Amino acid sequence: MTEPRFALLMSCDGQTDIDMESLPKVASDIYIHWLNQGTIHECAGEEKLLPYQEYKFYNVRFKQTAMWSVTGRCNYNCRHCFMSAPEALQGEPSFEQCIYILDALERCGIKEVHLTGGEPLVREDFWDIADEILKRNILIKTIYSNGKLIDEDFVRNLRKRHIRPSVQFSFDGVGRHDLMRGVKGAEDDVIRAFELCRREGIITTASMVLCKDNQDTIRDTVRLMGSLGCNYFKIGSAYEQGDWLKHLDRSLTTRETYEIFMDYIPKYFEDNMPVSLGLEGFFNYEHPEDKVSCSFERGIPDESLSKVKMCAHVKTSLYISPSGQILPCFSMIGQPIENRMPNMFDTPLEDILNESLYSEIINYSCKDYFDHNPECNTCKYKNDCCGGCRAVAVRTSGEDYLGRDLRTCEYFLGGWKERKDEVLKKACIKGPQIGPRV
């Protein structure tokens, strides 16, 4: 929001008289737009802002969202769990520690949380934690679950609290889900959970971990997701860490993964795009916008490289591990870099956000990347790639946040971009609709 717009919004406090006729047209147009949107409304008598609506100043770096693992435990035995939840290696914060975390989120003005684990619903005090979140006027935006504990009681608890978060499930392939999850009946349970959510009008999304054991199920799985009312389905490779270290012979190389994606994309359009789909940054299609995109292709001009952050996601969000570690994103848990990150049980969250290794690295720009990797400056794909994904980079380089993302290198230097563009052209689809991401 621009400073002039913010000044206009600050006047919407129930105590300031606004004469629309005497305002400059640009200001009156903004007010009218907000009125039509329902963002503001005209006061009725002595109406004033309620306490939770009052404007507040937080003396910390802005963060809108926290993704929070409320437990490191799980009721499944997933062979590809990168945080080793079957062994609960990340532990679980006590209820008192959860309150401490929530107090910190409230002090720092964080307004929404995504609750994950492990499996968050294995906590007996899950709904007590939810109540504490709501007391602080923080929105529960998403609950991540394997689906086993999504039942009528879950729905009743949502109704009781008048909340409707979306639910993200894991689904690892038609006929292969039980194998991947290590529990008999897991596939039936998650399908039942999908159907329950659709019946109740709860938005669902899902993710799939791709490996040699389920690579041939993509088409049937995407079709199933569409039939179950899934809103968005993303497919990505297994991380070579945690419990997956026992199954590395089942991993796919980046080239194998991209070949699978290339083979499937035409089939996706043949099937009339059953669900919005993301293929590990390689390809993304969104309903109802009818938009194709690719997160690898950023299109940042040279003059903006010093302004644009390496990762757009971390500008407004953070990840809290079960042990209280603050990380740029969920995907970095279990990596060596995790041990260098600040812990909010040792350091106030305000200090972490304002001045710490965490605040330093999330502030890196694309220019910082190229200064750190001068060999990338001469690459013709420089302005699209901009270094790629930081989570993938640290999985390759260990603790180097500015390391190279070899997956994105393969996408451009291996000719996959051109091959994919040709496939999209044959499918009468325009190439990625991209613009500078700031």
Side-chain angles (χ1 to χ4, degrees):
M1 184 175 289
T2 62
E3 192 170 339
R5 279 176 173 261
F6 186 70
L8 292 175
L9 190 61
M10 288 289 283
S11 68
C12 300
D13 58 3
Q15 302 176 62
T16 303
D17 289 329
I18 298 172
D19 183 0
M20 297 287 281
E21 293 184 1
S22 65
L23 286 174
K25 185 175 186 304
V26 63
S28 63
D29 285 349
I30 291 170
Y31 279 128
I32 291 168
H33 174 66
W34 284 341
L35 283 165
N36 291 337
Q37 268 191 328
T39 302
I40 62 175
H41 67 264
E42 294 185 12
C43 288
E46 297 297 315
E47 187 181 8
K48 295 181 180 179
L49 292 175
L50 297 172
Y52 80 91
Q53 295 174 302
E54 291 173 356
Y55 307 114
K56 297 178 180 67
F57 173 75
Y58 301 96
N59 192 25
V60 293
R61 183 189 183 101
F62 170 71
K63 291 287 179 180
Q64 174 77 15
T65 307
M67 183 176 221
W68 179 21
S69 285
V70 296
T71 181
R73 293 189 296 121
C74 188
N75 51 349
Y76 277 8
N77 189 31
C78 302
R79 61 194 338 212
H80 55 282
C81 184
F82 59 88
M83 65 186 296
S84 299
E87 294 82 36
L89 292 188
Q90 288 281 333
E92 180 176 277
S94 67
F95 183 74
E96 290 71 27
Q97 287 176 315
C98 289
I99 297 299
Y100 176 88
I101 289 172
L102 288 172
D103 286 343
L105 297 185
E106 184 178 23
R107 289 196 314 272
C108 293
I110 293 174
K111 294 301 181 188
E112 56 191 35
V113 291
H114 303 275
L115 299 179
T116 185
E119 168 57 49
L121 296 176
V122 299
R123 288 194 67 124
E124 293 182 1
D125 58 1
F126 176 84
W127 294 109
D128 295 325
I129 294 170
D131 289 336
E132 292 293 335
I133 294 170
L134 299 173
K135 275 183 194 176
R136 291 161 175 78
N137 292 306
I138 297 174
L139 173 70
I140 301 174
K141 193 157 188 178
T142 312
I143 296 173
Y144 290 70
S145 176
N146 56 40
K148 177 72 173 179
L149 300 175
I150 302 290
D151 53 17
E152 295 289 351
D153 188 56
F154 173 83
V155 173
R156 279 192 293 272
N157 273 295
L158 295 183
R159 285 188 192 136
K160 176 181 175 182
R161 291 162 177 83
H162 305 288
I163 60 174
R164 190 57 66 92
S166 64
V167 178
Q168 178 161 315
F169 295 116
S170 301
F171 192 90
D172 291 319
V174 172
R176 311 292 163 78
H177 188 66
D178 288 7
L179 169 69
M180 298 294 289
R181 294 288 149 181
V183 173
K184 189 175 181 180
E187 185 166 338
D188 290 339
D189 281 337
V190 72
I191 289 174
R192 171 196 52 75
F194 266 117
E195 291 171 339
L196 174 63
C197 288
R198 181 172 57 178
R199 214 163 45 240
E200 295 295 330
I202 297 170
I203 292 173
T204 56
T205 58
S207 63
M208 175 182 180
V209 174
L210 192 66
C211 66
K212 290 180 180 178
D213 296 308
N214 61 8
Q215 64 181 30
D216 59 339
T217 70
I218 290 181
R219 189 172 195 176
D220 287 341
T221 301
V222 173
R223 285 171 170 170
L224 176 64
M225 292 298 102
S227 72
L228 292 172
C230 179
N231 197 54
Y232 181 78
F233 186 51
K234 61 182 179 180
I235 303 174
S237 304
Y239 300 162
E240 295 190 353
Q241 64 188 74
D243 284 15
W244 191 245
L245 293 176
K246 306 169 190 173
H247 307 283
L248 291 183
D249 62 318
R250 311 313 299 158
S251 290
L252 295 163
T253 66
T254 299
R255 291 184 181 183
E256 288 172 334
T257 301
Y258 289 172
E259 201 64 70
I260 291 166
F261 289 164
M262 287 291 299
D263 178 68
Y264 173 64
I265 288 172
K267 299 182 176 79
Y268 175 69
F269 290 108
E270 286 172 18
D271 293 340
N272 200 28
M273 302 83 76
V275 60
S276 292
L277 181 69
L279 301 178
E280 201 172 47
F282 185 95
F283 168 85
N284 195 72
Y285 182 88
E286 298 173 48
H287 288 298
E289 294 89 350
D290 191 29
K291 178 183 177 183
V292 172
S293 61
C294 172
S295 64
F296 296 158
E297 301 177 38
R298 298 183 69 182
I300 308 297
D302 284 336
E303 62 270 19
S304 299
L305 291 176
S306 62
K307 301 175 185 176
V308 176
K309 302 305 177 192
M310 279 237 66
C311 177
H313 170 76
V314 301
K315 283 174 61 177
T316 58
S317 64
L318 57 84
Y319 169 68
I320 308 170
S321 78
S323 60
Q325 217 81 355
I326 301 298
L327 296 169
C329 79
F330 183 44
S331 300
M332 291 184 184
I333 199 166
Q335 294 295 321
I337 198 171
E338 178 185 0
N339 299 322
R340 296 176 55 207
M341 291 293 104
N343 189 297
M344 63 186 303
F345 294 132
D346 301 325
T347 306
L349 183 57
E350 293 90 331
D351 294 344
I352 294 173
L353 293 178
N354 286 339
E355 191 172 359
S356 67
L357 175 62
Y358 168 82
S359 63
E360 177 185 333
I361 67 172
I362 66 170
N363 206 41
Y364 282 138
S365 69
C366 295
K367 181 180 181 302
D368 291 318
Y369 171 82
F370 289 113
D371 289 344
H372 188 72
N373 301 276
E375 68 276 15
C376 293
N377 275 291
T378 58
C379 179
K380 71 175 183 178
Y381 298 106
K382 165 185 172 181
N383 299 90
D384 273 337
C385 170
C386 293
C389 173
R390 297 302 84 212
V392 175
V394 298
R395 285 204 292 274
T396 304
S397 63
E399 299 184 28
D400 188 0
Y401 188 81
L402 288 174
R404 292 174 63 191
D405 168 8
L406 299 180
R407 180 192 66 174
T408 304
C409 283
E410 173 63 26
Y411 174 74
F412 288 108
L413 300 181
W416 298 98
K417 169 180 162 44
E418 289 78 11
R419 285 183 59 188
K420 185 187 68 176
D421 288 348
E422 189 62 31
V423 167
L424 293 175
K425 186 177 178 180
K426 289 179 180 177
C428 300
I429 302 296
K430 294 179 181 179
Q433 301 164 30
I434 61 172
R437 287 171 52 193
V438 298

